[in-house]
Amino acid sequence: MRSSLIEYLKPVTEEEARILSGDGRIQRELYTTGPEFTVDSEKMMEKGRLIDIRKHTRFIAFPEHKHNYIEIMYMCLGSTVHVINGATKVVLGEGDLLFLNQFSSHEILPAKEDDIGINFVVLPEFFDEVLPMLNQENALSSFLISTLKRNTDTAGYLHYHVADVLPIQNLVENLVWSLLNRQSNYRQINQTTMGLLFMQLVNETDRIESGNPEQYSDVFIMQVLKYVEENYKTASLGEIALRMNQSDSNMSKIVKNLTGRTFKELLQDKRMRQAEHLLKDTRLPITDIIYQVGYDNTSYFHRIFRELHGMSPKKYRDTLAYGK
């Protein structure tokens, strides 16, 4: 992160000054109104906003708590140590991103003066507005967002080691700048920037640290979905099983258990969505589209497409053209 933003974030806040003066506790009333320590979005952000930003409080341990929002923590400088769900220790290094859903418990060990972290406070409905901006043919984006929004007992966090991924660092910095310097069209800028950030993150599933079995399952299926997204034309169960060091039969069971769908169904869904895109946005001949999405049997493609849409690919394209 550029030095000007670091210098802006580095000064001691009023809360930190009180802690340094000898008050060795977190003032819960700054964060919550309830008996349980659930950090309240209404305390963290202005009314009507869906996303805001707050510098992490240094010089003191932040006790175990939950959030009623999705938290994204970014380390601008230094590092912080987090304990998630009472058991999993995560060391967030400079340039790392940590996504926490509103059902995870979270404790943070004391940060020093040069450990500067930023908390993005994000209401779940913010992602409802971001998701339509993402590539509609990308199931991985949807899965990533659903991981952040769903209630689970042990998962609900994603730790990305992306310090050396320049596009991600630039997008995070842009988002920080936008939230600190509110422009007249800040909501659209923030949504667009977050959408671009997620587009980059779906390419970095190998940089997610998995600390427990549930988290490993999420990372595993993300890698499967990424494989389908990138190789749908030639993808096969045998190839992904070999890549993931699994037998074909075990791979098939894992995919079914984790997604509720077979590998064949995931692949067919991707191919059909890609075919829909090509029918809608290009003038390629239908026979070329069939080949481009991975089918060599035109009769089979036409039968599957008709089962899905209740019409032929030609009529589908004509209907879209008529509606414009």
Side-chain angles (χ1 to χ4, degrees):
M1 178 167 284
R2 70 184 60 186
S3 58
S4 58
L5 279 175
I6 294 291
E7 291 305 311
Y8 179 85
L9 294 165
K10 196 169 184 177
V12 171
T13 65
E14 183 179 333
E15 180 188 17
E16 291 172 335
R18 176 186 53 76
I19 292 166
L20 289 171
S21 69
D23 188 349
R25 64 186 180 90
I26 288 289
Q27 288 185 299
R28 289 170 58 122
E29 61 271 20
L30 295 177
Y31 300 92
T32 186
T33 55
E36 295 184 357
F37 200 172
T38 298
V39 181
D40 190 350
S41 62
E42 293 186 2
K43 293 274 190 176
M44 298 291 103
M45 62 201 313
E46 293 181 10
K47 187 175 181 179
R49 301 200 78 182
L50 299 179
I51 182 172
D52 216 329
I53 194 171
R54 186 181 188 279
K55 188 174 76 172
H56 172 64
T57 301
R58 296 166 293 181
F59 312 117
I60 194 170
F62 205 99
E64 186 173 12
H65 60 283
K66 292 187 176 183
H67 322 89
N68 62 6
Y69 54 87
I70 294 166
E71 181 176 73
I72 305 171
M73 186 165 183
Y74 173 74
M75 283 308 300
C76 307
L77 190 68
S79 63
T80 45
V81 179
H82 305 252
V83 181
I84 300 172
N85 297 321
T88 304
K89 181 179 284 189
V90 171
V91 179
L92 197 65
E94 187 172 325
D96 284 1
L97 282 164
L98 178 64
F99 293 76
L100 289 153
N101 77 7
Q102 65 266 47
F103 306 106
S104 302
S105 68
H106 185 207
E107 176 186 356
I108 312 168
L109 303 188
K112 299 183 178 69
E113 182 179 5
D114 289 331
D115 298 325
I116 300 175
I118 290 175
N119 294 317
F120 295 94
V121 179
V122 191
L123 297 185
E125 49 265 40
F126 177 82
F127 291 107
D128 294 337
E129 300 193 31
V130 170
L131 186 56
M133 301 170 58
L134 302 178
N135 185 345
Q136 294 300 296
E137 289 76 49
N138 198 318
L140 186 51
S141 299
S142 300
F143 183 85
L144 181 59
I145 289 175
S146 70
T147 299
L148 298 177
K149 296 175 69 174
R150 73 172 185 258
N151 186 359
T152 66
D153 292 330
T154 57
Y157 79 92
L158 294 169
H159 177 198
Y160 277 91
H161 294 282
V162 288
D164 60 340
V165 184
L166 186 59
I168 289 176
Q169 297 300 314
N170 287 341
L171 286 165
V172 173
E173 183 174 317
N174 290 345
L175 192 56
V176 171
W177 192 94
S178 174
L179 289 164
L180 291 175
N181 302 276
R182 300 181 186 180
Q183 300 159 289
S184 58
N185 56 343
Y186 71 90
R187 175 167 287 190
Q188 183 178 0
I189 290 172
N190 294 340
Q191 291 167 354
T192 302
T193 305
M194 186 67 80
L196 291 170
L197 177 60
F198 270 74
M199 289 180 192
Q200 292 290 340
L201 288 171
V202 297
N203 294 323
E204 305 296 341
T205 56
D206 57 334
R207 293 174 178 267
I208 302 175
E209 180 176 311
S210 55
N212 57 52
E214 184 77 10
Q215 198 71 8
Y216 174 78
S217 297
D218 282 348
V219 175
F220 187 98
I221 202 61
M222 282 183 190
Q223 291 174 347
V224 173
L225 290 171
K226 182 181 179 183
Y227 166 76
V228 172
E229 292 290 334
E230 295 178 348
N231 303 278
Y232 60 86
K233 185 175 178 179
T234 60
S236 69
L237 178 64
E239 183 181 22
I240 185 60
L242 186 62
R243 289 190 183 192
M244 304 296 286
N245 200 27
Q246 302 287 331
S247 67
D248 288 9
S249 60
N250 197 43
M251 190 74 203
S252 181
K253 291 176 184 176
I254 293 172
V255 171
K256 178 67 173 179
N257 289 338
L258 293 179
T259 68
R261 307 172 76 185
T262 65
F263 179 82
K264 181 180 179 181
E265 288 170 339
L266 291 174
L267 181 57
Q268 180 174 288
D269 180 65
K270 169 60 185 178
R271 287 174 169 175
M272 287 295 126
R273 284 185 284 112
Q274 184 66 15
E276 292 163 11
H277 158 65
L278 293 173
L279 287 166
K280 177 182 177 182
D281 297 328
T282 77
R283 301 313 301 169
L284 282 172
I286 291 173
T287 52
D288 288 357
I289 290 175
I290 294 171
Y291 172 75
Q292 284 203 18
V293 300
Y295 291 103
D296 53 16
N297 187 325
T298 57
S299 298
Y300 178 74
F301 174 85
H302 279 273
R303 178 169 63 82
I304 296 298
F305 193 92
R306 188 179 290 275
E307 288 177 359
L308 183 63
H309 293 285
M311 64 182 76
S312 69
K314 182 180 184 305
K315 187 172 181 180
Y316 179 87
R317 172 177 271 175
D318 291 344
T319 300
L320 292 173
Y322 179 77
K324 289 183 179 179

